[in-house]
Every structure is written in structure tokens, then in C-alpha cells.
Amino acid sequence: LVEMDLSSNLLCRWTDIAALGAGAPKLHTLNLSGNAMAHPTPADAATLAATPLAKLRVLVLSGCGITVADFLALRPATAFPALTELHLANNCIRRIQTTDSGGVTAGETAASKEADREAAQALAAALPRLAALNLSGNALTSWADVWRLCRLPCLRRLILAGNALTEAAYGPSLAAAWPLPAELPRLRHRLPTSPLLRISPLRLSIR
């Protein structure tokens, strides 16, 4: 068994998902969209760590109410060590945070810059192989939050369609994180509004 579609069922416990680690060790694609998954606990993370889905490459958690912080609470580097594609669409995600404790708003103040750096480092450590991330249909509004993904070492595709991102400022701090390619020398202050923006080596879909 290498692919499993459990979408739109009544699953809610992460311990049930952990059981797949032992029952389907070759599983590489798992679709859990439309299940009201519970907010992960330390016990859930420990269970997944004990029986990781070691071969899983694609995980779909769209419409599950799971935030970025919730997913990181599962310790994905251990639970899903081979993960390259993650779908978190339609989960009402408002912020890209590494914990649920709130914290400093992303932005340009000294405190927010430090928070951004720490969040980016935590994301990179948790998702070292992630190449594709789908955040479409959420409630993101700030590009400063989005740039927290800049340290993900393997990210090549980012889908943000259906988010009300209101400002696409491209200032010095963002330029240092994701430089524009050489063929776009004039775009120093504002990202283009084309449906598909290519920032080498990242492919970014915004509409």
C-alpha cells in the first residue's frame, strides 16, 4: 500500500494516523482532507515519533482546521522525515507561526525581525525536505508572514491562491531572504501582480 485517501471521514485522532506507520510502512501519499483533526498534543507527537511514516512524501491536510503551528507540534522532521509536499489549504490560517502562543507580529521592527528569523529557522529545521507547500484558501494578509518561509532549504513551489495578501513590498530585508532573479532587475520595491510569479528557484502561485 503506497497511496491512501481517507478524505471526508470522521477521523480526528493523530494516534490513528500513527498506526499507519506500522500498518503501511511503504505509504508515500496520504490524503486526510476534510477530517476534523484534533489539535496535536505532546503525546500525539511522541506516538508519531515512535512509529513514523518514514516513506511519506505527500500529505494533504486541507480543510482539517490545522494551522502551521499545529503541524509543527507533530515534530514533522521525525514523524514524516521524507515529506516533500504538504497541503494546508482552506484551514483558516491567519499567521505563519511556529507556536500557538501568539508572539510578535511579523514586520520591520527589531523585535519582529528577530521573531521572523527565529520562526524561519524553526520552519527550516522542521521541514528540511519540503519542496511544495499549498496554503491556498486561507486568511493570510501579510507578506511579512509569508517571508518566514524563506529558509526552507528545498522549497520550490508555494501556492497562496485565495489569500487576501494586501501588500507585496519588496524591501531590503525581503531581498536578502529571496533575491529576485537577474532577469527582473527593475523590480526592487514591489512584487509583480501576475498570476504566477517566478522567483528563482521558487515558484510562487498567488492567484
Side-chain angles (χ1 to χ4, degrees), residues 151-176:
R151 295 284 184 89
L152 290 174
C154 296
L155 190 64
R156 296 294 179 270
R157 188 179 186 197
L158 176 59
I159 304 174
L160 297 171
N163 286 278
L165 290 163
T166 56
E167 183 179 354
Y170 190 78
S173 61
L174 303 188

Side-chain angles (χ1 to χ4, degrees), residues 16-175:
D16 291 333
I17 307 308
L20 298 175
K26 296 183 179 180
L27 189 68
H28 67 65
T29 300
L30 177 60
N31 185 355
L32 297 174
S33 60
N35 288 283
M37 300 303 298
H39 292 291
T41 66
D44 292 329
T47 302
L48 279 165
T51 55
L53 279 74
K55 302 290 186 181
L56 192 70
R57 298 197 300 270
V58 179
L59 179 58
V60 185
L61 292 171
S62 299
C64 292
I66 296 298
T67 66
V68 174
D70 288 333
F71 188 70
L72 295 190
L74 293 170
R75 302 200 308 236
T78 301
F80 317 112
L83 191 67
T84 60
E85 183 174 328
L86 175 63
H87 296 261
L88 294 174
N90 303 310
N91 282 339
C92 298
I93 296 172
R94 298 180 181 275
R95 299 277 311 280
I96 294 178
Q97 295 176 288
T98 55
T99 68
D100 282 325
S101 59
V104 180
T105 301
E108 289 296 322
T109 67
S112 63
K113 287 180 181 179
E114 180 60 27
D116 291 343
R117 281 192 292 270
E118 291 178 355
Q121 291 169 356
L123 286 161
L127 301 166
R129 297 188 178 185
L130 194 69
L133 177 59
N134 181 2
L135 292 171
S136 62
N138 282 294
L140 295 170
T141 59
S142 171
W143 280 97
D145 269 316
V146 175
W147 294 113
R148 289 183 168 189
L149 303 170
C150 69
R151 295 284 184 89
L152 290 174
C154 296
L155 190 64
R156 296 294 179 270
R157 188 179 186 197
L158 176 59
I159 304 174
L160 297 171
N163 286 278
L165 290 163
T166 56
E167 183 179 354
Y170 190 78
S173 61
L174 303 188

